[in-house]
Amino acid sequence: MPRTRKPAEALRRAARILFFRTHSKPGVKGWELRRALGSDYLSVIKSLNEYLAPLGLEVRAVTEDGRRLNLDEETGEHSRAIYVVTLKTQPTLTELKTSGWRVDYIAVLASAILYLYSNNGRAKRSDVENALKQKFQLWRLRAAIDKLVRAGYLDERDGVLSIGWRSYAEIDIEKFVMRKQ
Amino acid sequence: MSPTSRRDAVKKLREILEELTAVLSSGADPFAVNLREILDRLNEVLPQLSDEELPLDAEIIRHAAQIVKRQEEWVAGRTSLLALAPFIAILKLASMTKDELVRDFLGAWTPIVSLDRMTVGDLMLGMEYLGAKRLQTLQIPELPQIEYKPYEPISEDLRAALEAILVELKSTLEEMGRVPYDDFTRGDALRGYAVALALQENKASLNIDPLTEKIYIVKPREGTVESVVITFEGKRDAKNQKAG
């Protein structure tokens, strides 16, 4: 187990706050962590990361527009950022099936991200549906998009879909696009 | 100059050289090296070096120049790749199947881990709901009597409609071998009911694709058909309890 100079109580509190979901969307804001853990919350998070690393997990700070922040250098953005615990390595297909997500919905997410990426990150929802309806039944596609919007993977405003903050937080989009099978 | 400080300076030089060599030989991201910091460290060490150690210093400069060259190549490569990326994305979307897309996607996905729990808010909401329900129950002195009617078909043509769907199902299965459940039922309750009847009468069977979790209606399986008994447990009334 890694050594840390942070008090165990602070680490326990940080783990509870980060792991347990209290809002419909996952993640905790930086200012919420500051209020619960004190002004040096970033060093508590870094210490927690040392514990989580052997378990294949890590805490990430992501801005609303999806940029990942470096935990070593505190900036003004850190208190507005969303902190989430993610897997450090990619899940297998078997693990995906036990994650609570339908394989079909993940296929919709993958396809939507490719389409949106090729359109500079945003497109009309009707265009996305038209492009993907060859691969998916329309009613299932619509249900999947609604669910992905609710979960934060996609963002929908005035009939326009864009890649959501959660996709940026969880997916290495460039790697996915460039990846050869 | 003391021999100790010279020895330290040489040690620092070797460390820098090893760091640069490691990046060059591994082919890692050339921007991972902070060249400005390395040059500052060299600047500090330089006055403590004798002529003998200068080749080491020159070697570091040569390596640093190679890293700058790598950075230039890396930027040029990334720029051209990024320009092509939207085309690659659309090509990938068009050419890959759903399964291939999912497998590829998994290689770049590190999902958020979280645990659902009851919050104080959820509990309060539950209490409110229960409170409202109890009040409603108390306000109604007598529960309305439900009149039970014998089963009657909702339409005179129900049997004919079911028969027509069953014939369609049979011919579809003979023609295609299998048909996705959603495609056949099209969200229509009557078609769903007809499929249920066909399954019950062993005129068709269901098959679930383990990868896509898609449900297919297939031809009836050969062999012994086994029925499963499902028991329902309920409270017996007082009279039955006495008798029992």
Side-chain angles (χ1 to χ4, degrees), chain A residues 8-27:
Chain A
E9 182 49 39
L11 289 175
R12 273 198 292 271
R13 205 179 312 143
R16 276 184 222 137
I17 295 168
L18 284 161
F19 274 110
F20 286 125
R21 191 155 83 175
T22 50
H23 311 295
S24 58
K25 284 185 179 175

Side-chain angles (χ1 to χ4, degrees), chain A residues 36-116:
Chain A
L37 305 172
S39 57
D40 68 338
Y41 68 100
L42 270 186
S43 53
V44 178
I45 297 298
K46 280 192 280 182
S47 299
L48 181 64
N49 260 343
E50 288 178 30
Y51 278 89
L52 293 179
L55 303 174
L57 302 171
E58 68 173 336
V59 182
R60 282 180 194 164
V62 191
T63 61
E64 286 281 0
D65 58 352
R67 277 176 300 111
R68 285 184 203 171
L69 299 180
N70 185 354
L71 293 176
D72 292 326
E73 297 163 14
E74 186 171 1
T75 63
E77 287 185 304
H78 279 83
S79 62
R80 292 191 301 273
I82 303 163
Y83 291 73
V84 288
V85 183
T86 67
L87 296 188
K88 248 177 121 71
T89 53
Q90 292 76 23
T92 61
L93 193 60
T94 320
E95 285 168 340
L96 166 67
K97 283 180 183 170
T98 57
S99 73
W101 279 98
R102 289 177 61 98
V103 176
D104 260 12
Y105 284 17
I106 296 300
V108 171
L109 175 61
S111 307
I113 282 180
L114 284 177
Y115 186 79
L116 292 171

